[in-house]
Structure formats: structure tokens, C-alpha cells
Amino acid sequence: MPLLEKDAIRRDPETFLDERFSHVPKFSFHTSGTTGTPIRTIWRIREIRDSLAVREVRSARWAGVSFRMPRATFSGRMIEPEPESRGPFYRYNAVERQAYLSPFHLRAETARHYAQALKRTGVQWMTGYAVSYFLLARHIVEQGLDVPPLRAVITTSEKLTREMRAVMEEAYRCRVWEEYSTVENALFASECERGRLHVSPDVGIVEILRSDGTPCKAGEVGEVVATCLRRSLQPLIRYRLGDLAAWDDEPCSCGRSMPVIKEVIGRRENVVVGPDGREMVRFHGIFVDQPHVREGQIVQEARDRIVVKVVPTPGFGLEDERDIIHRMHQRLGPDVHVTIECIEVIPRSSSGKYKAVVSFVPRSTRTSQSVNA
């Protein structure tokens, strides 16, 4: 069967729905947009429950925690729209006992407020953006901030490097675990106690392919393609994720017979540094619900200068530009000069993927090695 491109779903996600479920309630979630503008995924409630159950059993419990325990989350929601807010930089979900942390206000001056939030809400473990937790951990170590005893940190969305893991484990005084999954629930892989990344074969059929479409051998880097097995409303078959990875054929000493991914490549993003020192990653919210933007890329030329490259669709105009600039100011503050540049295409790598965030701002050697290693 042919490979499924993201652009087809991005253009019209409704055409991928199974008509047998036209009568059931539907829920929408957007992808992070790391390989383009966000994609709208459409779910049944049963599929949402399945997805959460997999994370509970194959990720949280492997790490010795549970979603029933108080937790903190770094993710992409805009929970504080005021860029110059003095806090709090989190919102508390009392039903799930969840502290939802803002990734858009994190910098040296605000780090103590995040540490205080962890203590105030009594979180026992944390999950979410790997780079955000790394940046917070670095501030905690540098400033000697006190955080409550934690049982685990489970990172998502970005590649977790050895350097990042070491800083986080020093700051949070617990083990850090890696999770590799997608908003589309096309695949799910989680780290076992032996530090190996196991694929859940009942979530999706995962292929790692060469450029000619043939399967890669163990240790050979190729493109990740997945077929959803847990979503019937919007099934995705041989779906190109845009990631690169390699299989590991070495049996895991944990005893699980699930396939093992040796390494995931290509989910690292540049960190953007604001004029006031705040460091952020993940800007997919800039392009969510932008009907006249086909693709978008954030390029930081200087701490106070951002270029937003847009591949527009018919109808893109001044109102769209003003909305994008407003969203950028929400995340980086009003002192950033934002320029909108309309282009025909954003250059791709050989794998067909482009970086959603590019920064040309120099950083210290330690930061560059830790984040981008």
C-alpha cells in the first residue's frame, strides 16, 4: 500500500473518517506541528480512553507511578496569555491533581516560581516536554532551588539526550524515563527498567524503511512509518511520521518480547531565547486554527528579532499576520520584533522533514551540547 503523507490529512482531516461512526460524539486534538502546521486528529471517547490506558500501563507503571498520583505536566497549551505575567505560571486541575506548567514563561527569573508550584501542589511525578524539563532542571541546579521528592520524570515530544538526562536526574533526584509516541496515536514506545525503548505492537504496526521503501536492518537508520491499530474513527495506514529511527535486535534483559527501538532521530528542536532570557521550545500554538497557513516555521535571527516564514493559502492577509504577531508576543514578550515572510515552500531535508523552529542565537557551549546533542 502507498505511504500516507501528512499534507493529505492536514488539508482535509474529515475525509479520513470512517462513515460508520458518523453518529458518535467526536473530539479533536492538534499535533505539535514539528514537521509543518498542526494536524487535526479526530477521536471517539473510547479511543481516548485506550490511549490513556496504554500510557498508564506501559509508561507510568513501568516507571513506578500512576496517573492517579499528583503530577505536573509541561505541554503546549497557553495557560497564561499575558507574556509579562508575574505568575502564577501554572494552573491546577483539581480533578486529576495535575499542575499544568507554562512552557512560555520559563526563564532564570521565574524558575523559583515553578519550583514553588511543584511543592505547593504536592506533585509526585512529572511528564511532558523533555526540553522544558531540562531547562527547568538546569535553573534548579544553578540556583540551588528546592523541589519536592519526586518518583519519576517521563519525557515526551523531544529526544532525550544523555546530557539532558544527567542534569534532570541531578535536579529532580529521581530517574528520568523516555517515551516516544504521537498525538495521532500511530505508535507508542516506552522505556523499561533496563533503559530500552519498547514498541507496543498492539498500538500500531511500526516500519522503519529505506528511501527505496524496503525495510531497514537492525541498526540501520530509516524513516518511521506507522499504521494505527487503536483508532477506527480516523484510521491512518502506513503513515509517514517524518522521524528517523533504527531497530535494535538485541533481546532485552527485562524479559519483554516487544520490539526495541535503538535510537530515535530527528525530534530535536532548537531552543528560542527571548530578550529577557526566557528559553522556550515548541511553538505549534502559533499555527493552530490558522486556516490560511499551509506551513509555518519560526526563525530566530537575534534575541529580539523573529521571522515567521509562512506558506500561505488563498485568503491570507493582514488579519492573519496580526494574529500571528500577537501570538508570538504572548510567548516571547512585546519587545520582540516579529516579521512575517510569505514563501512558496519551506526547504526539506532528505527525509522530507523541516525544522519547525530554527535559532541562530549563539549560546554557551554547555547549553548547545545539552540541548542539541
Side-chain angles (χ1 to χ4, degrees), residues 4-56:
L4 174 59
E5 303 286 348
K6 289 190 174 184
D7 281 346
I9 310 170
R10 185 178 290 118
R11 285 194 301 268
D12 193 355
E14 301 280 346
T15 61
F16 288 83
L17 299 186
D18 189 327
E19 295 178 353
R20 292 176 299 174
F21 301 105
S22 60
H23 62 286
V24 303
K26 300 174 180 63
F27 304 85
S28 294
F29 302 95
H30 288 88
T31 67
S32 61
T34 56
T35 57
T37 50
I39 292 171
R40 185 163 68 94
T41 63
I42 306 171
W43 301 62
R44 294 188 295 154
I45 186 65
R46 177 178 177 178
E47 295 168 349
I48 297 173
R49 290 170 178 161
D50 275 355
S51 176
L52 294 174
V54 168
R55 290 200 69 200
E56 169 70 18

CSV table of all heavy atoms in Angstrom, one decimal, residues 4-56:
chain,number,residue,atom,x,y,z
A,4,LEU,N,1.2,7.2,3.4
A,4,LEU,CA,0.3,8.3,3.6
A,4,LEU,C,1.0,9.5,4.1
A,4,LEU,O,1.7,9.5,5.1
A,4,LEU,CB,-0.8,7.9,4.7
A,4,LEU,CG,-1.7,9.0,5.2
A,4,LEU,CD1,-2.6,9.5,4.0
A,4,LEU,CD2,-2.6,8.4,6.3
A,5,GLU,N,0.9,10.6,3.3
A,5,GLU,CA,1.6,11.9,3.6
A,5,GLU,C,0.7,12.7,4.6
A,5,GLU,O,-0.5,12.7,4.6
A,5,GLU,CB,1.8,12.7,2.4
A,5,GLU,CG,2.6,12.0,1.3
A,5,GLU,CD,4.0,11.9,1.6
A,5,GLU,OE1,4.5,12.5,2.6
A,5,GLU,OE2,4.8,11.1,0.9
A,6,LYS,N,1.4,13.5,5.4
A,6,LYS,CA,0.7,14.3,6.4
A,6,LYS,C,-0.1,15.4,5.7
A,6,LYS,O,-1.1,15.8,6.2
A,6,LYS,CB,1.7,15.0,7.4
A,6,LYS,CG,2.4,14.0,8.3
A,6,LYS,CD,3.2,14.7,9.4
A,6,LYS,CE,3.7,13.7,10.5
A,6,LYS,NZ,4.4,14.4,11.6
A,7,ASP,N,0.4,15.9,4.6
A,7,ASP,CA,-0.3,17.0,3.9
A,7,ASP,C,-1.8,16.6,3.6
A,7,ASP,O,-2.7,17.5,3.6
A,7,ASP,CB,0.4,17.4,2.6
A,7,ASP,CG,1.6,18.3,2.9
A,7,ASP,OD1,1.7,18.8,4.1
A,7,ASP,OD2,2.4,18.5,2.1
A,8,ALA,N,-2.0,15.4,3.2
A,8,ALA,CA,-3.3,14.9,2.9
A,8,ALA,C,-4.3,15.1,4.0
A,8,ALA,O,-5.4,15.5,3.9
A,8,ALA,CB,-3.3,13.5,2.3
A,9,ILE,N,-3.8,14.7,5.2
A,9,ILE,CA,-4.6,14.8,6.4
A,9,ILE,C,-4.8,16.3,6.8
A,9,ILE,O,-5.8,16.7,7.3
A,9,ILE,CB,-4.0,14.0,7.6
A,9,ILE,CG1,-3.7,12.6,7.1
A,9,ILE,CG2,-5.0,14.0,8.8
A,9,ILE,CD1,-2.9,11.8,8.1
A,10,ARG,N,-3.7,17.0,6.7
A,10,ARG,CA,-3.7,18.4,7.1
A,10,ARG,C,-4.7,19.2,6.3
A,10,ARG,O,-5.4,20.1,6.8
A,10,ARG,CB,-2.3,19.0,6.9
A,10,ARG,CG,-2.1,20.4,7.3
A,10,ARG,CD,-0.7,20.9,7.1
A,10,ARG,NE,0.2,20.2,8.1
A,10,ARG,CZ,1.2,19.4,7.7
A,10,ARG,NH1,1.4,19.2,6.4
A,10,ARG,NH2,2.0,18.9,8.6
A,11,ARG,N,-4.8,18.9,5.0
A,11,ARG,CA,-5.7,19.6,4.1
A,11,ARG,C,-7.2,19.3,4.4
A,11,ARG,O,-8.0,20.3,4.5
A,11,ARG,CB,-5.5,19.2,2.6
A,11,ARG,CG,-4.3,19.9,2.0
A,11,ARG,CD,-4.3,19.7,0.5
A,11,ARG,NE,-4.3,18.3,0.1
A,11,ARG,CZ,-3.3,17.6,-0.2
A,11,ARG,NH1,-2.1,18.1,0.0
A,11,ARG,NH2,-3.4,16.3,-0.5
A,12,ASP,N,-7.5,18.1,4.7
A,12,ASP,CA,-8.9,17.7,5.0
A,12,ASP,C,-9.0,16.5,5.8
A,12,ASP,O,-9.2,15.4,5.4
A,12,ASP,CB,-9.7,17.5,3.6
A,12,ASP,CG,-11.2,17.4,3.8
A,12,ASP,OD1,-11.6,17.5,4.9
A,12,ASP,OD2,-11.9,17.3,2.8
A,13,PRO,N,-8.9,16.7,7.2
A,13,PRO,CA,-8.9,15.5,8.1
A,13,PRO,C,-10.3,14.8,8.1
A,13,PRO,O,-10.3,13.6,8.4
A,13,PRO,CB,-8.6,16.1,9.4
A,13,PRO,CG,-9.0,17.6,9.3
A,13,PRO,CD,-8.7,17.9,7.9
A,14,GLU,N,-11.3,15.5,7.7
A,14,GLU,CA,-12.7,14.8,7.7
A,14,GLU,C,-12.8,13.7,6.7
A,14,GLU,O,-13.5,12.7,6.9
A,14,GLU,CB,-13.7,15.9,7.4
A,14,GLU,CG,-13.8,17.0,8.4
A,14,GLU,CD,-14.5,16.7,9.7
A,14,GLU,OE1,-15.2,15.7,9.7
A,14,GLU,OE2,-14.4,17.5,10.7
A,15,THR,N,-12.0,13.8,5.6
A,15,THR,CA,-12.1,12.7,4.6
A,15,THR,C,-11.6,11.4,5.0
A,15,THR,O,-11.8,10.4,4.4
A,15,THR,CB,-11.4,13.2,3.3
A,15,THR,OG1,-10.0,13.3,3.6
A,15,THR,CG2,-12.0,14.4,2.7
A,16,PHE,N,-10.8,11.4,6.1
A,16,PHE,CA,-10.3,10.1,6.6
A,16,PHE,C,-11.1,9.5,7.7
A,16,PHE,O,-10.7,8.5,8.3
A,16,PHE,CB,-8.9,10.4,7.2
A,16,PHE,CG,-7.8,10.7,6.2
A,16,PHE,CD1,-7.7,12.0,5.7
A,16,PHE,CD2,-7.0,9.7,5.7
A,16,PHE,CE1,-6.7,12.2,4.7
A,16,PHE,CE2,-6.1,9.9,4.7
A,16,PHE,CZ,-5.9,11.2,4.2
A,17,LEU,N,-12.3,10.0,7.9
A,17,LEU,CA,-13.2,9.5,8.9
A,17,LEU,C,-14.0,8.3,8.4
A,17,LEU,O,-14.5,8.3,7.3
A,17,LEU,CB,-14.2,10.5,9.5
A,17,LEU,CG,-13.6,11.8,10.1
A,17,LEU,CD1,-14.6,12.6,10.7
A,17,LEU,CD2,-12.6,11.4,11.2
A,18,ASP,N,-14.2,7.3,9.2
A,18,ASP,CA,-15.0,6.1,8.9
A,18,ASP,C,-16.5,6.5,9.0
A,18,ASP,O,-16.9,6.9,10.1
A,18,ASP,CB,-14.6,4.9,9.8
A,18,ASP,CG,-15.3,3.6,9.4
A,18,ASP,OD1,-16.4,3.7,8.9
A,18,ASP,OD2,-14.7,2.6,9.7
A,19,GLU,N,-17.2,6.4,8.0
A,19,GLU,CA,-18.6,6.8,8.0
A,19,GLU,C,-19.5,6.0,8.9
A,19,GLU,O,-20.6,6.5,9.3
A,19,GLU,CB,-19.2,6.8,6.5
A,19,GLU,CG,-18.5,7.8,5.6
A,19,GLU,CD,-19.1,7.6,4.2
A,19,GLU,OE1,-19.9,6.7,3.9
A,19,GLU,OE2,-18.7,8.5,3.3
A,20,ARG,N,-19.0,4.9,9.3
A,20,ARG,CA,-19.8,4.0,10.2
A,20,ARG,C,-20.0,4.7,11.6
A,20,ARG,O,-20.9,4.4,12.4
A,20,ARG,CB,-19.2,2.7,10.4
A,20,ARG,CG,-19.3,1.8,9.1
A,20,ARG,CD,-18.5,0.5,9.4
A,20,ARG,NE,-17.1,0.7,9.7
A,20,ARG,CZ,-16.3,-0.3,10.1
A,20,ARG,NH1,-16.7,-1.5,10.2
A,20,ARG,NH2,-15.0,0.0,10.3
A,21,PHE,N,-19.1,5.6,11.9
A,21,PHE,CA,-19.1,6.3,13.2
A,21,PHE,C,-19.6,7.7,13.1
A,21,PHE,O,-19.3,8.6,14.0
A,21,PHE,CB,-17.7,6.3,13.8
A,21,PHE,CG,-17.2,4.9,14.0
A,21,PHE,CD1,-16.2,4.4,13.2
A,21,PHE,CD2,-17.7,4.1,15.0
A,21,PHE,CE1,-15.7,3.1,13.3
A,21,PHE,CE2,-17.2,2.8,15.2
A,21,PHE,CZ,-16.2,2.3,14.4
A,22,SER,N,-20.3,8.1,12.1
A,22,SER,CA,-20.8,9.4,11.9
A,22,SER,C,-21.7,9.9,13.0
A,22,SER,O,-21.8,11.1,13.2
A,22,SER,CB,-21.5,9.6,10.5
A,22,SER,OG,-22.6,8.7,10.5
A,23,HIS,N,-22.3,9.0,13.7
A,23,HIS,CA,-23.3,9.4,14.7
A,23,HIS,C,-22.7,9.6,16.1
A,23,HIS,O,-23.4,10.0,17.0
A,23,HIS,CB,-24.4,8.3,14.8
A,23,HIS,CG,-23.9,7.0,15.2
A,23,HIS,ND1,-23.1,6.2,14.3
A,23,HIS,CD2,-24.0,6.3,16.4
A,23,HIS,CE1,-22.8,5.1,15.0
A,23,HIS,NE2,-23.3,5.1,16.2
A,24,VAL,N,-21.5,9.2,16.3
A,24,VAL,CA,-20.9,9.2,17.6
A,24,VAL,C,-20.3,10.5,17.9
A,24,VAL,O,-19.9,11.3,17.0
A,24,VAL,CB,-19.8,8.1,17.8
A,24,VAL,CG1,-20.4,6.7,17.5
A,24,VAL,CG2,-18.6,8.4,16.9
A,25,PRO,N,-20.2,10.9,19.2
A,25,PRO,CA,-19.5,12.2,19.6
A,25,PRO,C,-18.1,12.1,19.2
A,25,PRO,O,-17.4,11.1,19.3
A,25,PRO,CB,-19.7,12.2,21.1
A,25,PRO,CG,-20.9,11.4,21.4
A,25,PRO,CD,-20.8,10.3,20.4
A,26,LYS,N,-17.5,13.3,18.7
A,26,LYS,CA,-16.2,13.3,18.3
A,26,LYS,C,-15.4,14.4,19.0
A,26,LYS,O,-15.9,15.4,19.4
A,26,LYS,CB,-16.1,13.6,16.8
A,26,LYS,CG,-16.8,12.6,15.9
A,26,LYS,CD,-16.9,13.0,14.5
A,26,LYS,CE,-17.6,11.9,13.6
A,26,LYS,NZ,-19.0,11.7,14.0
A,27,PHE,N,-14.1,14.2,19.2
A,27,PHE,CA,-13.2,15.1,19.9
A,27,PHE,C,-12.0,15.3,19.1
A,27,PHE,O,-11.4,14.4,18.4
A,27,PHE,CB,-12.8,14.5,21.3
A,27,PHE,CG,-14.0,14.1,22.1
A,27,PHE,CD1,-14.6,12.9,22.0
A,27,PHE,CD2,-14.5,15.0,23.1
A,27,PHE,CE1,-15.7,12.6,22.8
A,27,PHE,CE2,-15.6,14.7,23.9
A,27,PHE,CZ,-16.2,13.5,23.7
A,28,SER,N,-11.5,16.6,19.0
A,28,SER,CA,-10.3,16.9,18.2
A,28,SER,C,-9.1,17.3,19.0
A,28,SER,O,-9.3,17.9,20.1
A,28,SER,CB,-10.7,18.1,17.3
A,28,SER,OG,-11.7,17.7,16.3
A,29,PHE,N,-8.0,16.9,18.6
A,29,PHE,CA,-6.7,17.2,19.2
A,29,PHE,C,-5.7,17.6,18.0
A,29,PHE,O,-5.8,17.0,16.9
A,29,PHE,CB,-6.1,16.1,20.0
A,29,PHE,CG,-7.0,15.6,21.1
A,29,PHE,CD1,-7.8,14.5,20.9
A,29,PHE,CD2,-7.0,16.3,22.3
A,29,PHE,CE1,-8.6,14.1,21.9
A,29,PHE,CE2,-7.8,15.8,23.3
A,29,PHE,CZ,-8.6,14.8,23.1
A,30,HIS,N,-4.9,18.6,18.3
A,30,HIS,CA,-3.9,19.0,17.3
A,30,HIS,C,-2.5,18.5,17.6
A,30,HIS,O,-2.1,18.4,18.7
A,30,HIS,CB,-3.8,20.5,17.2
A,30,HIS,CG,-5.0,21.2,16.6
A,30,HIS,ND1,-6.1,21.5,17.3
A,30,HIS,CD2,-5.3,21.5,15.3
A,30,HIS,CE1,-7.0,22.1,16.5
A,30,HIS,NE2,-6.6,22.1,15.3
A,31,THR,N,-1.8,18.0,16.5
A,31,THR,CA,-0.4,17.6,16.7
A,31,THR,C,0.4,18.8,17.0
A,31,THR,O,0.0,20.0,16.8
A,31,THR,CB,0.1,16.9,15.4
A,31,THR,OG1,0.2,17.9,14.4
A,31,THR,CG2,-0.8,15.8,15.0
A,32,SER,N,1.7,18.6,17.3
A,32,SER,CA,2.6,19.7,17.7
A,32,SER,C,3.1,20.5,16.5
A,32,SER,O,3.7,21.6,16.7
A,32,SER,CB,3.8,19.2,18.5
A,32,SER,OG,4.5,18.2,17.7
A,33,GLY,N,3.0,19.9,15.3
A,33,GLY,CA,3.4,20.7,14.2
A,33,GLY,C,4.9,20.7,14.0
A,33,GLY,O,5.4,21.7,13.4
A,34,THR,N,5.7,19.8,14.5
A,34,THR,CA,7.1,19.8,14.3
A,34,THR,C,7.6,19.6,12.9
A,34,THR,O,8.7,20.0,12.5
A,34,THR,CB,7.8,18.7,15.2
A,34,THR,OG1,7.3,17.4,14.8
A,34,THR,CG2,7.5,18.9,16.7
A,35,THR,N,6.7,19.0,12.1
A,35,THR,CA,7.1,18.9,10.6
A,35,THR,C,6.1,19.6,9.8
A,35,THR,O,5.9,19.3,8.6
A,35,THR,CB,7.1,17.4,10.3
A,35,THR,OG1,5.8,16.8,10.6
A,35,THR,CG2,8.1,16.6,11.0
A,36,GLY,N,5.6,20.7,10.2
A,36,GLY,CA,4.6,21.5,9.5
A,36,GLY,C,3.6,22.1,10.4
A,36,GLY,O,3.7,22.1,11.6
A,37,THR,N,2.5,22.7,9.8
A,37,THR,CA,1.5,23.2,10.6
A,37,THR,C,0.7,22.0,11.3
A,37,THR,O,0.7,20.9,10.8
A,37,THR,CB,0.5,24.0,9.8
A,37,THR,OG1,0.1,23.3,8.6
A,37,THR,CG2,1.1,25.3,9.3
A,38,PRO,N,0.1,22.3,12.4
A,38,PRO,CA,-0.6,21.2,13.1
A,38,PRO,C,-1.6,20.4,12.3
A,38,PRO,O,-2.3,21.0,11.5
A,38,PRO,CB,-1.2,21.9,14.3
A,38,PRO,CG,-0.4,23.1,14.5
A,38,PRO,CD,0.0,23.6,13.1
A,39,ILE,N,-1.8,19.2,12.6
A,39,ILE,CA,-2.8,18.3,12.0
A,39,ILE,C,-3.9,18.1,13.0
A,39,ILE,O,-3.6,17.8,14.2
A,39,ILE,CB,-2.2,17.0,11.6
A,39,ILE,CG1,-1.2,17.2,10.4
A,39,ILE,CG2,-3.2,16.0,11.2
A,39,ILE,CD1,-0.4,16.0,10.1
A,40,ARG,N,-5.1,18.1,12.6
A,40,ARG,CA,-6.3,17.9,13.5
A,40,ARG,C,-6.6,16.4,13.5
A,40,ARG,O,-7.0,15.8,12.4
A,40,ARG,CB,-7.5,18.7,13.0
A,40,ARG,CG,-8.7,18.6,14.0
A,40,ARG,CD,-9.6,19.7,13.8
A,40,ARG,NE,-10.3,19.6,12.5
A,40,ARG,CZ,-11.5,19.0,12.3
A,40,ARG,NH1,-12.1,18.5,13.3
A,40,ARG,NH2,-12.0,19.0,11.1
A,41,THR,N,-6.4,15.8,14.6
A,41,THR,CA,-6.8,14.4,14.8
A,41,THR,C,-8.2,14.3,15.4
A,41,THR,O,-8.5,15.1,16.3
A,41,THR,CB,-5.8,13.6,15.6
A,41,THR,OG1,-5.7,14.1,16.9
A,41,THR,CG2,-4.4,13.7,15.0
A,42,ILE,N,-9.0,13.3,15.0
A,42,ILE,CA,-10.4,13.3,15.4
A,42,ILE,C,-10.6,11.9,16.1
A,42,ILE,O,-10.3,10.9,15.5
A,42,ILE,CB,-11.3,13.5,14.3
A,42,ILE,CG1,-11.0,14.8,13.6
A,42,ILE,CG2,-12.8,13.5,14.7
A,42,ILE,CD1,-11.7,15.0,12.2
A,43,TRP,N,-11.2,11.9,17.3
A,43,TRP,CA,-11.3,10.7,18.1
A,43,TRP,C,-12.7,10.4,18.6
A,43,TRP,O,-13.5,11.3,18.8
A,43,TRP,CB,-10.4,10.9,19.4
A,43,TRP,CG,-9.0,11.2,19.1
A,43,TRP,CD1,-8.4,12.2,18.4
A,43,TRP,CD2,-7.9,10.4,19.5
A,43,TRP,NE1,-7.1,12.1,18.4
A,43,TRP,CE2,-6.7,11.0,19.1
A,43,TRP,CE3,-7.8,9.2,20.3
A,43,TRP,CZ2,-5.4,10.5,19.4
A,43,TRP,CZ3,-6.5,8.7,20.5
A,43,TRP,CH2,-5.3,9.3,20.1
A,44,ARG,N,-12.9,9.1,18.9
A,44,ARG,CA,-14.0,8.7,19.7
A,44,ARG,C,-13.6,8.7,21.2
A,44,ARG,O,-12.4,8.5,21.5
A,44,ARG,CB,-14.5,7.3,19.3
A,44,ARG,CG,-15.1,7.2,17.9
A,44,ARG,CD,-15.7,5.8,17.7
A,44,ARG,NE,-14.7,4.8,17.8
A,44,ARG,CZ,-15.0,3.5,18.1
A,44,ARG,NH1,-16.2,3.2,18.5
A,44,ARG,NH2,-14.0,2.6,18.1
A,45,ILE,N,-14.5,8.8,22.1
A,45,ILE,CA,-14.2,8.7,23.5
A,45,ILE,C,-13.5,7.4,23.9
A,45,ILE,O,-12.6,7.4,24.7
A,45,ILE,CB,-15.4,9.0,24.4
A,45,ILE,CG1,-15.0,9.1,25.9
A,45,ILE,CG2,-16.5,7.9,24.2
A,45,ILE,CD1,-14.2,10.3,26.2
A,46,ARG,N,-13.9,6.3,23.3
A,46,ARG,CA,-13.3,5.0,23.6
A,46,ARG,C,-11.8,5.0,23.2
A,46,ARG,O,-11.0,4.4,23.9
A,46,ARG,CB,-14.1,3.9,22.8
A,46,ARG,CG,-13.5,2.5,23.0
A,46,ARG,CD,-14.3,1.5,22.3
A,46,ARG,NE,-13.6,0.2,22.4
A,46,ARG,CZ,-14.2,-1.0,21.9
A,46,ARG,NH1,-15.3,-0.9,21.3
A,46,ARG,NH2,-13.5,-2.1,22.0
A,47,GLU,N,-11.5,5.7,22.1
A,47,GLU,CA,-10.1,5.7,21.6
A,47,GLU,C,-9.3,6.6,22.6
A,47,GLU,O,-8.1,6.3,22.8
A,47,GLU,CB,-10.1,6.3,20.2
A,47,GLU,CG,-10.8,5.4,19.2
A,47,GLU,CD,-11.0,6.0,17.8
A,47,GLU,OE1,-10.8,7.2,17.7
A,47,GLU,OE2,-11.3,5.3,16.9
A,48,ILE,N,-9.8,7.6,23.1
A,48,ILE,CA,-9.1,8.5,24.1
A,48,ILE,C,-8.8,7.6,25.3
A,48,ILE,O,-7.7,7.7,25.9
A,48,ILE,CB,-10.0,9.7,24.4
A,48,ILE,CG1,-10.2,10.6,23.2
A,48,ILE,CG2,-9.3,10.5,25.6
A,48,ILE,CD1,-11.1,11.7,23.5
A,49,ARG,N,-9.8,6.9,25.8
A,49,ARG,CA,-9.6,6.0,26.9
A,49,ARG,C,-8.5,5.0,26.7
A,49,ARG,O,-7.7,4.7,27.5
A,49,ARG,CB,-10.9,5.3,27.3
A,49,ARG,CG,-11.9,6.3,27.9
A,49,ARG,CD,-13.3,5.6,28.0
A,49,ARG,NE,-14.3,6.5,28.6
A,49,ARG,CZ,-15.6,6.3,28.5
A,49,ARG,NH1,-16.1,5.2,27.9
A,49,ARG,NH2,-16.4,7.1,29.1
A,50,ASP,N,-8.5,4.4,25.5
A,50,ASP,CA,-7.5,3.4,25.1
A,50,ASP,C,-6.1,4.0,25.2
A,50,ASP,O,-5.2,3.4,25.7
A,50,ASP,CB,-7.7,2.9,23.7
A,50,ASP,CG,-8.7,1.7,23.6
A,50,ASP,OD1,-9.1,1.3,24.7
A,50,ASP,OD2,-9.1,1.3,22.5
A,51,SER,N,-6.0,5.2,24.6
A,51,SER,CA,-4.7,5.9,24.6
A,51,SER,C,-4.2,6.2,26.0
A,51,SER,O,-3.0,6.0,26.3
A,51,SER,CB,-4.8,7.2,23.8
A,51,SER,OG,-3.6,8.0,23.9
A,52,LEU,N,-5.1,6.7,26.9
A,52,LEU,CA,-4.7,6.9,28.3
A,52,LEU,C,-4.3,5.6,29.0
A,52,LEU,O,-3.4,5.6,29.8
A,52,LEU,CB,-5.8,7.7,29.0
A,52,LEU,CG,-6.1,9.1,28.5
A,52,LEU,CD1,-7.3,9.6,29.2
A,52,LEU,CD2,-4.9,10.0,28.7
A,53,ALA,N,-5.1,4.6,28.7
A,53,ALA,CA,-4.8,3.3,29.4
A,53,ALA,C,-3.4,2.7,29.0
A,53,ALA,O,-2.7,2.2,29.8
A,53,ALA,CB,-5.9,2.3,29.0
A,54,VAL,N,-3.0,2.9,27.7
A,54,VAL,CA,-1.7,2.5,27.3
A,54,VAL,C,-0.6,3.2,28.1
A,54,VAL,O,0.4,2.7,28.5
A,54,VAL,CB,-1.5,2.6,25.8
A,54,VAL,CG1,-0.1,2.5,25.4
A,54,VAL,CG2,-2.4,1.6,25.0
A,55,ARG,N,-0.8,4.6,28.2
A,55,ARG,CA,0.2,5.4,28.9
A,55,ARG,C,0.3,5.0,30.3
A,55,ARG,O,1.4,5.0,31.0
A,55,ARG,CB,-0.1,6.9,28.8
A,55,ARG,CG,0.1,7.4,27.4
A,55,ARG,CD,0.2,8.9,27.4
A,55,ARG,NE,1.5,9.3,28.1
A,55,ARG,CZ,1.7,10.5,28.6
A,55,ARG,NH1,0.7,11.5,28.6
A,55,ARG,NH2,2.8,10.8,29.2
A,56,GLU,N,-0.9,4.6,30.9
A,56,GLU,CA,-0.9,4.2,32.3
A,56,GLU,C,-0.1,2.9,32.5
A,56,GLU,O,0.7,2.8,33.4
A,56,GLU,CB,-2.3,4.1,32.8
A,56,GLU,CG,-2.5,3.4,34.2
A,56,GLU,CD,-2.0,4.3,35.3
A,56,GLU,OE1,-1.9,5.5,35.2
A,56,GLU,OE2,-1.8,3.7,36.4
